[in-house]
Amino acid sequence: EGKTWLEIDDDEITSKSKKIFRKLPKDDGTVKALFRGVFKSSPRSFGDGTYGFKFDLLEISEADVLTRSGADPEQFTGDLRKSVCCSL
């Protein structure tokens, strides 16, 4: 219900963001970063038809790769779990 489609227009994001984005995991992983963009909602779905929200990415900064695995963050332990979200 709360899934958000991430839209990345190569012509819209900054060159610094493109460089950061290339270093992020391609398929699975957990990234802690600051994302700036435009958040949209609509009665119709975005992406493959199952997303009720869309985020048009403009900039990425302060990006840290926490894991390159596809593990659910709720399964993380210790400091890694705390770095993702203190309420998990």
Side-chain angles (χ1 to χ4, degrees), residues 6-23:
L6 175 61
E7 187 78 27
I8 302 170
D9 182 340
D10 208 41
D11 294 330
E12 295 291 322
I13 65 172
T14 66
S15 58
K16 183 177 178 181
S17 294
K18 289 177 190 179
K19 185 176 180 180
I20 292 170
F21 192 73
R22 284 192 293 271
K23 294 179 181 179

Side-chain angles (χ1 to χ4, degrees), residues 41-61:
S41 66
S42 174
R44 62 179 178 80
S45 296
F46 296 103
D48 64 3
T50 62
Y51 296 80
F53 304 97
K54 181 172 96 163
F55 185 76
D56 292 323
L57 182 66
L58 298 174
E59 184 177 20
I60 306 168
S61 61

